[in-house]
């Protein structure tokens, strides 16, 4: 009897050790595969031309001393900083509009049980599936009619069509996780329904709001088709269109600067997103399961 | 204490009518929802109808006057070989990417929910492809697959597997493979995050019960985890499919549809025709062609979500 137990224990210990090795191996491999082009971008960005444009030199090491020249060039001699500022302005404005529209809508759908609640929730979610590639032609005409072409406003006005549906979807999940008693208690305390929402429920779904902010900003900074169709003047471009169109002169690619701009843009967004990944994951499950 | 005092105070208070309005749920539900509905109707509904109208009109960027021309745009589009090429490319691009996204997304999700040291760094690196603006990451790939300086070719050359560089983006077959690879690479993290949501939601005791019954890793994977997360996996796959089906960024930046339209997809072809070529009518007709297929995808997603709900 006791030998059986010992044997089983050894068997499980071996299994456990093998599983640990497997997990670490898989994790490192996954990280490498996903990040390899980036790691190479980081190296490329600091390479001298002689090193970069030599097909025989090892692409993964510095065969000549590293140089910050191309990164300096990016900031000093290209409109990259303007693109970054524009992206931040558009991102912040879109996030604000998204929250103002999506929070009340999500509350209405999650809590104020109306018979049309579910079909309306589904309809809003469906809008997320209508792609920019279907609408950019007619939206370009709308943007021109509103005299917003070649301005940041064109993006601020149109991008919430992408972020609002997802945000409503996510927020419904977070709102349903708040116990109903909390609001009832607040209403017993003398708040109106609206007051209970503003003073009691909103602070409780703060994590959800943060998730929505990060997610909307990520979507906004990534958007490409609308930005390309609406804005063709370089001072009003955002990173996602400015870098590919303005850092390439004719057929000349400023490779080191391009790589540097990608890394500089990517790292802060990924960092932010990663901070809130767990919240985003829970939000998604709740939205999907409880709608 | 405060509770007992506050409640009657509100009832007796002066702003009673106001409080009454803010308490009426039916009224409140509409008022809170209305801004979003109006906004979406104005900036999605109207442009959508406009897109349909454009597809049946002779609008060009040079001549914005609107005349109905019936099915002429569709006839012209269907008569063009590039359209059929783009349609075929779109289907190949979508189906192959979706299959790979689901497979790798599932594997990645399993890795990301495991507990190990340095998880934060791994998550950060794994999420990079999705959080980077797609146009920028595609530019990184453009350099990664450069015809002369690609490190992929450098490694293959030094391993003695090839003599001369593979011009990845210069030949139809490898160009399509590259476009699919980049799209898969960029959407896999999103699929992984969605599948993670499903994995986290599996009750712990089910997995533990299977362990106690002596089920090994693969058995638990195929008989417990995968069946339980199938709806979420389906959602991840359909998201990947829809985002690939309607996307033009990767083909546009990586190959500009080339060489000779071998990587043109419907979305990029609509862009080249409608914006760069100036023929808004034909561009709209091409883009509109996406819609019926897209609707089918959306209905499939909703069915999957329903199943998720029923679980």
């Amino acid at each position: 009897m006791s030998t059986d137990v010992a044997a089983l224990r050894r068997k499980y210990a071996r299994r456990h050790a093998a599983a640990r090795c497997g997990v670490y191996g898989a994790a490192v491999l996954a990280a490498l595969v996903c990040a390899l082009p980036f790691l190479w971008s980081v190296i490329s960005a600091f390479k001298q031309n002689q090193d970069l444009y030599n097909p025989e030199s090892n692409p993964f090491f510095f065969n000549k001393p590293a140089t910050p020249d191309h990164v300096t060039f990016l900031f000093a001699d290209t409109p990259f900083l303007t693109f970054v500022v524009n992206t931040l302005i558009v991102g912040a404005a879109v996030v604000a509009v998204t929250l103002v529209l999506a929070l009340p809508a999500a509350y209405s759908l999650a809590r104020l049980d109306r018979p049309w609640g579910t079909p309306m929730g589904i309809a809003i979610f469906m809008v997320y599936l209508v792609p920019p590639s279907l609408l950019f032609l007619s939206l370009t005409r709308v943007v021109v009619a509103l005299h917003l072409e070649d301005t940041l406003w064109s993006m601020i006005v149109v991008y919430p069509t992408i972020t609002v549906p997802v945000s409503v979807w996510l927020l419904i999940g977070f709102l349903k996780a708040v116990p109903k008693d909390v609001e009832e208690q607040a209403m017993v305390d003398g708040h109106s329904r609206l007051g209970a929402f503003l003073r009691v429920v909103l602070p409780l779904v703060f994590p959800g709001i943060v998730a929505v902010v990060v997610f909307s900003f990520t979507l906004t900074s990534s958007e490409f088709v609308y930005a390309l169709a609406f804005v063709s003047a370089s001072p009003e471009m955002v990173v996602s269109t400015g870098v590919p169109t303005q850092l390439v002169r004719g057929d000349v690619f400023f490779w080191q600067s391009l790589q540097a701009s990608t890394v500089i843009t990517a790292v802060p967004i990924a960092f932010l997103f990663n901070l809130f990944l767990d919240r985003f994951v829970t939000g998604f499950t709740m939205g999907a399961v409880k709608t | 204490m405060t509770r007992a005092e506050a409640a009657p105070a509100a009832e007796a208070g002066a702003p009673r009518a106001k409080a009454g309005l803010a308490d009426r749920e039916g009224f409140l539900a509409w008022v809170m929802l209305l801004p979003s509905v109006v906004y979406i109707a104005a900036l999605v509904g109207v442009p959508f109808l406009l897109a349909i109208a454009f597809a049946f009109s002779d609008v060009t960027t040079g001549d914005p006057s609107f005349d109905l021309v019936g099915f002429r745009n569709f006839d012209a589009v269907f008569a063009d070989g590039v359209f059929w090429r783009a349609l075929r490319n779109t289907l190949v691009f979508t189906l192959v990417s979706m299959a790979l996204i689901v497979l790798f997304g599932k594997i990645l999700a399993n890795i990301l929910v495991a507990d190990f040291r340095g998880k934060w760094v791994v998550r950060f690196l794994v999420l990079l492809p999705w959080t980077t603006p797609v146009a920028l990451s595609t530019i990184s790939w453009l350099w990664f697959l450069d015809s002369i300086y690609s490190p992929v070719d450098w490694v293959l050359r030094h391993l003695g597997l090839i003599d001369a560089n593979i011009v990845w983006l210069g030949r139809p077959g490898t160009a399509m493979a590259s476009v699919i690879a980049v799209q898969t690479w960029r959407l896999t993290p999103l699929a992984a995050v969605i599948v993670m949501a499903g994995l986290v939601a599996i009750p712990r005791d089910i997995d533990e019960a299977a362990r106690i019954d002596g089920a090994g890793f693969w058995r638990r994977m195929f008989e417990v985890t995968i069946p339980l997360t199938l709806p979420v996996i389906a959602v991840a796959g359909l998201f990947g499919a829809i985002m690939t089906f309607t996307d033009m960024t990767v083909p546009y930046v990586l190959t500009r549809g080339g060489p000779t339209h071998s990587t043109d997809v419907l979305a990029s072809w609509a862009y080249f025709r409608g914006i760069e070529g100036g023929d808004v009518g034909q561009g709209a007709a091409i883009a509109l062609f996406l819609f019926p297929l897209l609707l089918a995808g959306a209905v499939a997603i909703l069915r999957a979500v329903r199943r998720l709900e029923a679980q």
Side-chain angles (χ1 to χ4, degrees):
Chain A
M1 189 73 181
S2 64
T3 48
D4 277 1
V5 171
L8 265 181
R9 219 171 248 158
R10 269 199 307 278
K11 189 177 149 200
Y12 279 115
R14 265 202 312 277
R15 255 193 203 174
H16 184 73
R20 295 315 294 164
C21 289
V23 165
Y24 278 100
V28 169
L29 187 69
L32 268 183
V33 169
C34 290
L36 190 62
F38 278 97
L39 302 178
W40 196 56
S41 291
V42 176
I43 298 169
S44 292
F46 292 100
K47 279 199 173 192
Q48 295 184 20
N49 282 336
Q50 285 177 334
D51 187 4
L52 192 73
Y53 298 117
N54 177 359
E56 287 315 310
S57 65
N58 186 329
F60 300 103
F61 290 101
F62 290 105
N63 308 287
K64 306 259 181 199
T67 168
D69 289 356
H70 300 282
V71 182
T72 323
F73 174 83
L74 178 70
F75 284 101
D77 298 307
T78 70
F80 178 67
L81 269 182
T82 314
F83 301 152
V84 171
V85 171
N86 287 346
T87 308
L88 291 175
I89 294 173
V90 171
V94 170
V95 163
V97 174
T98 305
L99 283 180
V100 167
L101 289 175
L103 266 172
Y107 186 76
S108 164
L109 292 173
R111 270 296 202 270
L112 307 171
D113 305 301
R114 294 292 107 190
W116 41 259
T118 310
M120 196 59 112
I122 291 173
I124 288 185
F125 175 67
M126 295 281 265
V127 172
Y128 178 59
L129 303 175
V130 178
S133 47
L134 190 65
L135 297 181
F136 69 89
L137 281 165
S138 38
L139 268 174
T140 308
R141 307 306 293 267
V142 172
V143 163
V144 170
L146 297 171
H147 300 291
L148 297 176
E149 73 271 31
D150 286 339
T151 65
L152 295 181
W153 285 107
S154 65
M155 291 174 273
I156 295 171
V157 167
V158 172
Y159 283 180
T161 57
I162 307 171
T163 54
V164 166
V166 202
S167 303
V168 169
W169 175 254
L170 278 174
L171 284 171
I172 286 177
F174 281 99
L175 283 166
K176 287 202 169 172
V178 176
K180 282 205 165 157
D181 314 355
V182 175
E183 282 152 276
E184 276 155 17
Q185 189 63 59
M187 286 193 277
V188 170
D189 284 352
H191 289 301
S192 65
R193 184 92 207 194
L194 192 62
F197 166 63
L198 291 175
R199 295 213 186 80
V200 182
V201 179
L202 274 192
L204 284 176
V205 290
F206 186 70
I209 294 176
V210 173
V212 164
V213 168
V214 172
F215 194 62
S216 301
F217 187 81
T218 313
L219 278 181
T220 305
S221 63
S222 265
E223 208 290 324
F224 181 69
V225 179
Y226 286 152
L228 192 67
F230 298 161
V231 178
S232 53
S234 143
E236 301 290 320
M237 280 184 174
V238 288
V239 168
S240 80
T241 50
V243 169
T245 57
Q246 302 301 306
L247 265 64
V248 183
R249 299 269 157 76
D251 277 345
V252 183
F253 287 76
F254 297 95
W255 281 121
Q256 291 101 322
S257 309
L258 281 168
Q259 301 308 322
S261 71
T262 303
V263 174
I264 292 166
T265 314
V267 167
I269 300 177
F271 187 84
L272 261 183
F273 196 83
N274 206 13
L275 277 182
F276 300 100
L277 178 65
D278 287 316
R279 277 174 193 162
F280 177 62
V281 166
T282 27
F284 187 88
T285 348
M286 291 186 291
V289 176
K290 293 186 181 165
T291 312
Chain B
M1 272 284 270
T2 43
R3 235 175 275 155
E5 284 161 14
E11 264 168 35
R16 191 170 182 172
K18 220 172 157 189
L21 209 56
D23 270 324
R24 271 175 45 201
E25 296 205 352
F27 169 77
L28 211 56
W30 270 115
V31 169
M32 292 176 100
L33 190 63
L34 212 57
S36 294
V37 171
V38 168
Y39 173 81
I40 287 172
L43 284 172
V44 178
V46 171
F48 182 63
L49 296 177
L50 209 55
I52 296 175
F54 281 157
F56 293 97
S57 77
D58 64 351
V59 177
T60 61
T61 29
D63 173 21
S65 68
F66 186 95
D67 296 296
L68 283 178
V69 293
F71 284 90
R72 205 179 72 195
N73 289 323
F74 288 92
D75 289 341
V77 165
F78 292 158
D80 188 347
V82 178
F83 171 80
W84 298 105
R85 184 78 204 246
L87 178 62
R88 211 173 65 217
N89 289 342
T90 307
L91 294 176
V92 171
F93 181 47
T94 306
L95 292 176
V96 178
S97 308
M98 179 178 88
L100 294 173
I101 287 166
V102 167
L103 179 66
F104 292 130
K106 165 74 184 143
I107 295 173
L108 208 54
N110 273 66
I111 295 171
L112 291 184
V113 292
D115 267 319
F116 55 89
R117 273 158 181 274
K119 191 170 174 173
W120 212 90
V121 178
V122 170
R123 276 188 173 185
F124 175 76
L125 293 174
V126 161
L127 282 178
L128 269 174
W130 190 62
T131 51
T132 310
V134 47
L136 298 188
S137 54
T138 311
I139 285 211
S140 276
W141 275 91
L142 199 58
W143 176 227
F144 199 69
L145 297 171
D146 188 85
S147 55
I148 303 171
Y149 306 107
S150 167
V152 183
D153 290 2
W154 187 87
V155 169
L156 292 177
R157 269 204 322 268
H158 281 253
L159 290 173
L161 292 172
I162 52 170
D163 297 324
N165 274 1
I166 299 166
V167 185
W168 292 101
L169 305 176
R171 291 192 215 136
T174 51
M176 193 51 157
S178 307
V179 170
I180 289 172
V182 175
Q183 184 73 3
T184 306
W185 171 83
R186 130 181 141 82
L187 286 182
T188 297
L190 175 66
V193 168
I194 296 175
V195 177
M196 265 172 86
L199 286 176
V200 172
I202 294 182
R204 279 239 135 164
D205 33 329
I206 296 186
D207 193 62
E208 269 156 22
R211 253 173 219 270
I212 288 165
D213 291 346
F217 175 77
W218 293 109
R219 231 168 127 200
R220 288 204 311 274
M221 172 75 78
F222 283 100
E223 288 178 19
V224 180
T225 320
I226 290 185
L228 280 179
T229 48
L230 207 56
V232 190
I233 293 175
V235 170
L238 285 162
F239 259 96
I242 286 190
M243 288 176 102
T244 307
F245 188 67
T246 60
D247 189 46
M248 63 166 230
T249 317
V250 173
Y252 180 88
V253 177
L254 204 62
T255 60
R256 291 208 125 237
T260 56
H261 303 296
S262 59
T263 55
D264 249 328
V265 289
L266 285 179
S268 65
W269 187 230
Y271 184 86
F272 288 131
R273 260 288 141 91
I275 299 264
E276 291 184 5
D279 196 329
V280 177
Q282 284 197 21
I286 296 165
L288 208 59
F289 199 82
L290 291 168
F291 192 69
L293 291 164
L294 198 65
L295 198 66
V299 169
I301 285 195
L302 284 174
R303 288 241 169 107
V305 170
R306 280 270 164 74
R307 285 241 303 276
L308 199 73
E309 192 183 342
Q311 222 177 54

